[in-house]
Amino acid sequence: MSRADLDKDPREVASMFDQVAARYDLTNDVLSLGQDRRWRRAVVALVDPQPGERVLDLAAGTGTSSEPFAAAGAHVVPCDFSLGMLRVGKRQFPDLPFTAGDGMRLPFADDSFDAVTISFGLRNIHDPVEGLRELLRVTRPGGRIVVCEFSTPTWAPFRGLYVNYLMRALPPVARAVSSNPDSYVYLAESIRAWPDQKGLALRFVEAGWGRVEWHNLTGGIVVLHHSVKPG
């Protein structure tokens, strides 16, 4: 898949992530200049996992985003539709219960989790609103959601620099470090096509979540949207 559109074929997207799994974490570190680690720490802080809580980490990939929840004493379930990612993750974190699952048809019962989160994966769900509905379904009443996703920089001059980086600088950097650099062209284009902060918040409301708030990170390059399931 080389073009980002709203009719993403889940099988093609899963295959793309299978191909980049081996060097996925390294590539993310390089392309984000190390910022991805700070973004993930912000997700954990906002979720605020408590010992004994059940947390779903959707689009968990290799489990790098899931391990901090386990370290905090929560029962975290890393879930992803890329079997390649899950295999790499199981080697790195053998104690985590990695689970294969489609974000639009999650393999969990209603009201299963105290908190759900997805980082840099909502863009890749075929229907993001349906994905948010599924996350709502598996969250208990009063449970919380945190979505970490790329968004629109808030300062207009920086916005232009950012788009230029995505489309011009990112592909050659990816060619140097990624196991499948063409996939990062798709990722860059999917980021450009993604709604801004308010646009994504409206999709939360459409899916049935309660009041939505968001926090800009790194000047709005990344945004954390969070809400609570109505009781």
Side-chain angles (χ1 to χ4, degrees), residues 25 40-41 43-44 49 55-58 60-79 89 92-98 117:
D25 293 323
R40 293 186 191 281
R41 286 197 298 269
V43 171
V44 176
V55 177
L56 171 63
D57 185 17
L58 185 58
T62 61
T64 300
S65 60
S66 307
E67 194 279 332
F69 294 109
H75 300 294
V76 62
V77 178
C79 181
Q92 294 178 340
F93 305 107
D95 294 332
L96 293 183
F98 287 91
T117 184

Side-chain angles (χ1 to χ4, degrees), residues 176-190:
V177 296
S178 173
S179 51
N180 183 16
D182 288 343
S183 299
Y184 285 85
V185 175
Y186 157 77
L187 292 175
E189 293 178 348
S190 71

